[in-house]
Amino acid sequence: QVQVVESGGGLVQAGGSLRLSCAASGSIFRINAMGWYRQAPGKQRELVAGIISGGSTNYADSVKGRFTISRDGAKNTVYLQMKSLEPEDTALYYCYADVYSDYRRDFYWGQGTQVTVSS
């Protein structure tokens, strides 16, 4: 069993910053990738940023230059540093973990953390 828990969301004014954290725990043999999706009301869930085991990262075009994903491998934790936030960034942010556990590969989601950017 693997658990994914996010933290760090909140309310911030446009132009401000927030840092999200996500920790994976449980019966983990290896983490292939972790990252963040977001879903705004009435919109589909979209990839925000991801980082794979080798360290390569990818970002949605809308957040490039403003968001930075990083990780602490020893803690199975990823971080999303968000700067120059815009009202359009308001969404529920979900962390995911692509994990080898108990001889199988599975995809796990956190419960989500709300980010609200006021104009």
Side-chain angles (χ1 to χ4, degrees), residues 12-117:
V12 65
Q13 288 188 331
S17 300
L18 279 176
R19 188 192 193 211
L20 305 183
S21 299
C22 172
S25 62
S27 181
I28 297 172
F29 175 70
R30 186 179 75 210
I31 293 179
N32 300 305
M34 290 184 72
W36 299 88
Y37 277 72
R38 68 185 181 187
Q39 188 166 19
K43 295 187 177 181
Q44 290 188 329
R45 191 175 294 193
E46 63 173 353
L47 176 67
V48 177
I51 184 166
I52 65 173
S53 58
S56 296
T57 59
N58 64 297
Y59 296 92
D61 288 342
S62 60
V63 307
K64 285 180 181 177
R66 300 188 298 121
F67 291 9
T68 303
I69 189 169
S70 61
R71 66 179 180 181
D72 183 335
K75 297 180 179 180
N76 291 334
T77 298
V78 293
Y79 306 96
L80 186 67
Q81 179 66 52
M82 305 184 293
K83 298 181 180 179
S84 302
L85 283 161
E86 304 167 353
E88 292 73 23
D89 296 315
T90 295
L92 191 57
Y93 283 69
Y94 295 93
C95 178
Y96 71 88
D98 177 0
V99 174
Y100 271 112
S101 165
D102 296 331
Y103 303 102
R104 57 182 288 172
R105 182 176 181 176
D106 283 304
F107 209 81
Y108 297 89
W109 292 97
Q111 292 297 308
T113 186
Q114 179 67 38
V115 172
T116 303
V117 184

